[in-house]
Amino acid sequence: MKNILIVLIIFISLSSCNNAKSEKMNPVSSSENEKLVKEYFELFNQHKWKEMADIYVENADFKDPSLGNGIVKQSHQQIVTKYTELSDMFPDVHDKILQIYPSGEKHIIVEFVSTGTAPDNSKFELPICTIFTIENGKITKDFTYYDNFEEPQE
């Protein structure tokens, strides 16, 4: 019985060391991911599209009504082009974060409102929710949800 207890203690000790070692070797922190997402929104609001695109992996997965149905791969250059065109249409486009919800080790959900003014001085305010998947310090997936329907014309 004493031998079994000693073996059990050794096993638990080794197991604890291995868990601590793997956590140090693969440090995943939701606060680091949250920091990355906040940097994303700072760059967005400064219209620094190239720097913002660099936060993504090359050929990241996007789900966004403006890109069509389903998941679409976007390169850094396609991201820069998309947001350059957006800021050409709405030069003062700005996102205001309402809430950030960390979800597990790889996901950050952000609830925000996008606003801007078109060249004809019409303004928009659009509530949006995005689920970011972050792996190895880069955004791998950007799944964005908002109401993309236009109001009926009278």
Side-chain angles (χ1 to χ4, degrees):
M1 181 69 176
K2 186 176 179 184
N3 287 340
I4 293 174
L5 186 58
I6 290 172
V7 170
L8 185 61
I9 290 172
I10 291 171
F11 178 75
I12 291 172
S13 295
L14 289 175
S15 183
S16 296
C17 290
N18 284 339
N19 286 342
K21 184 188 272 186
S22 68
E23 286 174 14
K24 288 178 185 173
M25 289 174 55
N26 187 15
V28 176
S29 168
S30 66
S31 65
E32 289 175 24
N33 290 344
E34 192 171 332
K35 184 177 169 186
L36 181 73
V37 167
K38 286 179 179 177
E39 179 184 357
Y40 165 92
F41 280 94
E42 286 175 19
L43 293 169
F44 180 95
N45 287 332
Q46 295 169 13
H47 298 189
K48 292 185 176 180
W49 308 129
K50 183 185 178 329
E51 292 87 344
M52 188 187 83
D54 288 342
I55 291 178
Y56 290 88
V57 295
E58 185 65 32
N59 297 312
D61 290 336
F62 281 77
K63 189 183 285 186
D64 183 327
S66 72
L67 298 172
N69 294 326
I71 297 172
V72 177
K73 295 248 184 233
Q74 293 281 279
S75 69
H76 288 170
Q77 186 54 53
Q78 288 170 310
I79 294 168
V80 170
T81 299
K82 174 187 174 184
Y83 287 103
T84 299
E85 290 171 358
L86 177 70
S87 64
D88 287 346
M89 280 193 295
F90 305 100
D92 63 341
V93 66
H94 183 272
D95 288 347
K96 179 183 176 190
I97 297 173
L98 300 177
Q99 190 68 40
I100 296 177
Y101 308 95
S103 178
E105 293 179 358
K106 297 196 286 184
H107 299 96
I108 300 287
I109 302 165
V110 183
E111 178 184 3
F112 61 101
V113 174
S114 189
T115 58
T117 309
D120 67 358
N121 286 328
S122 62
K123 296 186 181 294
F124 77 90
E125 184 174 299
L126 182 64
I128 302 174
C129 184
T130 297
I131 302 169
F132 292 101
T133 302
I134 301 166
E135 298 177 70
N136 300 317
K138 295 279 188 178
I139 299 171
T140 59
K141 296 179 182 175
D142 177 327
F143 289 8
T144 298
Y145 301 90
Y146 56 90
D147 183 357
N148 197 35
F149 293 107
E150 294 183 23
E151 292 183 28
Q153 299 290 327
E154 291 184 27

Coordinates of all heavy atoms in Angstrom, one line a residue, residues 63-69 90 112-114 124-130 143-152:
K63 N -16.2 35.8 -42.9 CA -17.6 35.7 -43.2 C -18.2 37.0 -43.0 O -18.2 37.6 -41.8 CB -18.2 34.7 -42.2 CG -19.6 34.3 -42.5 CD -20.2 33.3 -41.5 CE -19.7 31.9 -41.6 NZ -20.4 31.0 -40.7
D64 N -18.6 37.7 -44.1 CA -19.0 39.1 -44.0 C -20.1 39.3 -45.1 O -19.8 38.9 -46.3 CB -17.8 39.9 -44.2 CG -18.1 41.4 -44.1 OD1 -19.2 41.9 -44.5 OD2 -17.2 42.2 -43.7
P65 N -21.2 39.8 -44.8 CA -22.3 40.0 -45.8 C -21.8 40.8 -47.0 O -22.2 40.6 -48.2 CB -23.4 40.8 -45.1 CG -23.2 40.4 -43.7 CD -21.7 40.2 -43.5
S66 N -20.8 41.7 -46.8 CA -20.3 42.5 -48.0 C -19.5 41.7 -48.9 O -19.2 42.1 -50.1 CB -19.5 43.7 -47.5 OG -18.2 43.2 -46.9
L67 N -19.0 40.5 -48.5 CA -18.2 39.6 -49.4 C -19.0 38.5 -50.0 O -18.5 37.6 -50.7 CB -17.1 39.0 -48.6 CG -16.1 40.0 -48.0 CD1 -15.1 39.3 -47.1 CD2 -15.3 40.7 -49.1
G68 N -20.3 38.4 -49.7 CA -21.2 37.4 -50.2 C -21.5 36.3 -49.2 O -21.2 36.5 -48.0
N69 N -22.0 35.2 -49.6 CA -22.4 34.1 -48.7 C -21.2 33.2 -48.4 O -20.3 33.1 -49.2 CB -23.5 33.3 -49.2 CG -24.8 34.1 -49.3 OD1 -25.1 34.9 -48.5 ND2 -25.6 33.8 -50.4
F90 N -16.8 56.5 -47.3 CA -17.2 57.1 -46.0 C -15.9 57.6 -45.3 O -15.3 56.8 -44.5 CB -17.9 56.1 -45.1 CG -19.1 55.5 -45.7 CD1 -19.1 54.2 -46.3 CD2 -20.3 56.2 -45.7 CE1 -20.3 53.7 -46.8 CE2 -21.5 55.7 -46.3 CZ -21.4 54.4 -46.8
F112 N -19.9 46.2 -31.5 CA -19.5 47.6 -31.8 C -20.5 48.3 -32.7 O -21.3 47.6 -33.3 CB -18.0 47.7 -32.3 CG -17.8 47.0 -33.6 CD1 -17.8 47.7 -34.8 CD2 -17.6 45.6 -33.7 CE1 -17.5 47.0 -36.0 CE2 -17.4 45.0 -34.9 CZ -17.3 45.7 -36.1
V113 N -20.3 49.6 -32.9 CA -21.2 50.4 -33.8 C -20.2 51.1 -34.7 O -19.3 51.8 -34.3 CB -22.0 51.4 -33.0 CG1 -22.8 52.3 -34.0 CG2 -23.0 50.7 -32.1
S114 N -20.5 50.9 -36.0 CA -19.8 51.6 -37.1 C -20.6 52.8 -37.5 O -21.8 52.7 -37.7 CB -19.5 50.7 -38.2 OG -18.7 51.2 -39.2
F124 N -24.6 57.1 -41.5 CA -25.1 55.8 -41.1 C -24.6 55.4 -39.7 O -23.6 56.0 -39.3 CB -24.7 54.7 -42.2 CG -23.2 54.3 -42.0 CD1 -22.9 53.2 -41.2 CD2 -22.2 55.0 -42.8 CE1 -21.5 52.9 -41.1 CE2 -20.9 54.6 -42.7 CZ -20.6 53.5 -41.8
E125 N -25.3 54.6 -39.1 CA -25.0 54.0 -37.8 C -25.4 52.5 -37.9 O -26.5 52.2 -38.0 CB -25.7 54.7 -36.7 CG -25.3 54.2 -35.3 CD -25.9 55.1 -34.2 OE1 -25.6 56.3 -34.1 OE2 -26.6 54.5 -33.4
L126 N -24.4 51.6 -37.8 CA -24.6 50.2 -38.0 C -24.1 49.4 -36.8 O -22.9 49.3 -36.6 CB -23.9 49.8 -39.3 CG -24.1 48.3 -39.7 CD1 -25.6 48.0 -40.0 CD2 -23.2 48.0 -40.9
P127 N -25.0 48.7 -36.1 CA -24.5 47.8 -35.0 C -23.9 46.5 -35.6 O -24.5 46.0 -36.6 CB -25.7 47.5 -34.2 CG -26.9 48.0 -34.9 CD -26.4 48.9 -36.1
I128 N -22.8 46.1 -35.1 CA -22.1 45.0 -35.7 C -21.6 44.1 -34.6 O -21.2 44.6 -33.5 CB -20.9 45.4 -36.6 CG1 -21.3 46.4 -37.7 CG2 -20.1 44.2 -37.1 CD1 -20.2 47.0 -38.5
C129 N -21.5 42.8 -34.8 CA -20.8 41.9 -33.9 C -19.8 41.0 -34.7 O -20.2 40.5 -35.8 CB -21.9 40.9 -33.3 SG -21.2 39.8 -32.1
T130 N -18.6 40.9 -34.3 CA -17.6 40.2 -34.9 C -17.0 39.2 -34.0 O -16.7 39.5 -32.8 CB -16.4 41.1 -35.5 OG1 -17.0 42.0 -36.4 CG2 -15.3 40.3 -36.1
F143 N -15.4 36.6 -38.5 CA -16.8 36.4 -38.8 C -17.6 37.5 -38.3 O -17.8 37.7 -37.1 CB -17.2 35.0 -38.2 CG -16.6 33.8 -38.9 CD1 -15.6 33.9 -39.8 CD2 -17.1 32.6 -38.5 CE1 -15.0 32.8 -40.4 CE2 -16.5 31.4 -39.1 CZ -15.5 31.5 -40.1
T144 N -18.1 38.3 -39.2 CA -18.8 39.6 -38.9 C -20.3 39.5 -39.2 O -20.6 39.0 -40.3 CB -18.2 40.7 -39.7 OG1 -16.8 40.9 -39.3 CG2 -18.9 42.0 -39.4
Y145 N -21.1 39.9 -38.3 CA -22.6 39.8 -38.5 C -23.2 41.2 -38.3 O -22.9 41.9 -37.3 CB -23.1 38.9 -37.4 CG -22.6 37.5 -37.6 CD1 -21.4 37.1 -36.9 CD2 -23.1 36.5 -38.5 CE1 -20.9 35.8 -37.0 CE2 -22.6 35.3 -38.6 CZ -21.4 34.9 -37.9 OH -20.9 33.7 -38.1
Y146 N -24.0 41.6 -39.2 CA -24.8 42.8 -39.2 C -26.0 42.7 -40.1 O -26.0 41.8 -41.0 CB -24.0 44.1 -39.5 CG -23.3 44.0 -40.8 CD1 -23.9 44.6 -41.9 CD2 -22.0 43.5 -40.9 CE1 -23.2 44.5 -43.2 CE2 -21.3 43.5 -42.1 CZ -21.9 44.0 -43.3 OH -21.3 44.0 -44.5
D147 N -26.9 43.6 -40.0 CA -28.1 43.6 -40.9 C -27.7 44.3 -42.1 O -27.5 45.5 -42.1 CB -29.3 44.3 -40.1 CG -30.5 44.3 -41.0 OD1 -30.5 43.8 -42.1 OD2 -31.5 44.8 -40.5
N148 N -27.6 43.6 -43.2 CA -27.2 44.2 -44.5 C -28.4 44.5 -45.4 O -28.2 44.8 -46.6 CB -26.3 43.2 -45.2 CG -25.5 43.8 -46.3 OD1 -25.1 44.9 -46.2 ND2 -25.2 43.0 -47.4
F149 N -29.6 44.5 -44.9 CA -30.8 44.8 -45.7 C -31.0 46.3 -45.8 O -30.9 47.0 -44.8 CB -32.0 44.1 -45.2 CG -32.0 42.6 -45.3 CD1 -31.8 41.8 -44.1 CD2 -32.1 42.0 -46.5 CE1 -31.7 40.4 -44.2 CE2 -32.1 40.6 -46.6 CZ -31.9 39.8 -45.5
E150 N -31.3 46.7 -47.0 CA -31.7 48.1 -47.1 C -33.1 48.4 -46.8 O -33.9 47.5 -46.9 CB -31.4 48.6 -48.6 CG -30.0 48.5 -49.0 CD -29.8 49.0 -50.4 OE1 -30.6 49.8 -50.9 OE2 -28.7 48.7 -51.0
E151 N -33.4 49.6 -46.3 CA -34.8 49.9 -46.0 C -35.6 50.0 -47.3 O -35.1 50.4 -48.3 CB -34.9 51.2 -45.2 CG -34.3 51.1 -43.8 CD -34.4 52.4 -43.1 OE1 -35.4 53.2 -43.4 OE2 -33.6 52.7 -42.2
P152 N -36.9 49.5 -47.3 CA -37.6 49.6 -48.5 C -37.9 51.0 -48.9 O -38.0 51.9 -48.1 CB -39.0 48.9 -48.1 CG -39.0 48.8 -46.6 CD -37.6 49.0 -46.1

